[in-house]
Amino acid sequence: MASIADAPALEVVETALPIAVDGREQMFRAYAFQGAKEEEQLLVLVHGDASAGQALPLVRLHSGCVTGDIFHSMRCDCYEQLQASLKAVLESSHGAIVYMPYHEGRGIGLFKKMRAYALQERGVDTVDANTAIGAPVDARDFGLAAKALAYLGLNEIRLLCNNPAKVEALAGFGITIAERISVASKPNRHNERYLNTKRDRMGHQI
């Protein structure tokens, strides 16, 4: 593993973090990363280690979603993806969840996301709703995530991901994606159009 001196733009703190998954206690090593700006921070939950098996580490980059991750909103698939990824990582010999809290609403923030939701309620899809309020369709930056992965020695990974833009972004920062594994969730009447839009207009491979 690299040292903090090898990543001067980062501050890092490490601790154990027990969490409940399906009602069972699971222990992760938690690494919090702080970038140059206050909003540049993320959490990496690491399971296992490189010596635990022959397979490359299984990694999920998860953008924080207050409505989905906390309140289990049915208007997106964030909660289902996070839970499925946690279980997949725990079933692997070595893996990590990279949680990016400041990526709310594909990087536009909670308030603007809710403004976009209000337009979607009137029939506008998720892409046009963002542009209608003057926001980018996707404002996320994965540079800090790539630095965190490199710091943890996760330079070649299997990525739990439906979004090819994440694959391209990580590759651009020098992370090798040996395999992309889809994270599917069952549509419901509240998010079916949203999921179809991500597939048809944003290239998500669902």
Side-chain angles (χ1 to χ4, degrees):
M1 183 182 297
S3 68
I4 294 177
D6 295 322
L10 298 178
E11 292 183 60
V12 187
V13 63
E14 175 190 356
T15 186
L17 187 66
I19 68 172
V21 179
D22 280 346
R24 297 180 60 186
E25 179 183 311
Q26 303 288 352
M27 186 66 72
F28 288 86
R29 293 305 298 175
Y31 298 82
F33 291 84
Q34 177 67 60
K37 300 178 181 178
E38 178 61 30
E39 66 272 18
E40 293 177 344
Q41 53 184 243
L42 54 78
L43 179 69
V44 184
L45 302 180
V46 177
H47 164 71
D49 58 64
S51 63
Q54 298 299 314
L56 290 171
L58 186 65
V59 174
R60 164 73 180 171
L61 264 63
H62 190 87
S63 295
C65 177
V66 168
T67 52
D69 299 340
I70 297 175
F71 298 108
H72 305 182
S73 167
M74 298 176 70
R75 291 185 64 162
C76 65
D77 56 343
C78 299
Y79 176 74
E80 289 81 2
Q81 287 197 22
L82 180 57
Q83 294 303 308
S85 297
L86 278 166
K87 293 171 188 174
V89 166
L90 285 167
E91 290 170 359
S92 70
S93 60
H94 183 208
I97 302 290
V98 180
Y99 193 87
M100 301 167 288
Y102 282 88
H103 277 197
E104 180 77 43
R106 297 195 299 271
I108 66 173
L110 180 60
F111 185 78
K112 287 182 179 178
K113 183 179 87 169
M114 298 308 288
R115 287 182 63 197
Y117 268 10
L119 290 178
Q120 291 174 48
E121 194 173 14
R122 298 201 290 269
V124 182
D125 73 25
T126 184
V127 171
D128 291 337
N130 277 34
T131 57
I133 64 171
V137 175
D138 194 333
R140 291 173 292 183
D141 185 295
F142 297 100
L144 183 60
K147 288 181 181 179
L149 290 173
Y151 173 85
L152 294 168
L154 303 174
N155 297 292
E156 184 175 4
I157 62 175
R158 296 176 294 141
L159 186 65
L160 287 161
C161 175
N162 298 332
N163 185 359
K166 284 185 183 179
V167 176
E168 294 174 8
L170 287 179
F173 286 111
I175 302 297
T176 299
I177 311 300
E179 182 182 7
R180 185 195 64 81
I181 302 168
S182 293
V183 188
S185 61
K186 186 177 180 180
N188 63 64
R189 65 187 180 91
H190 301 285
N191 69 14
E192 185 172 14
R193 186 186 183 196
Y194 166 76
L195 295 177
N196 289 341
T197 300
K198 288 207 297 184
R199 180 194 64 206
D200 298 337
R201 300 193 64 186
M202 301 175 68
H204 286 222
Q205 297 162 332
I206 300 174

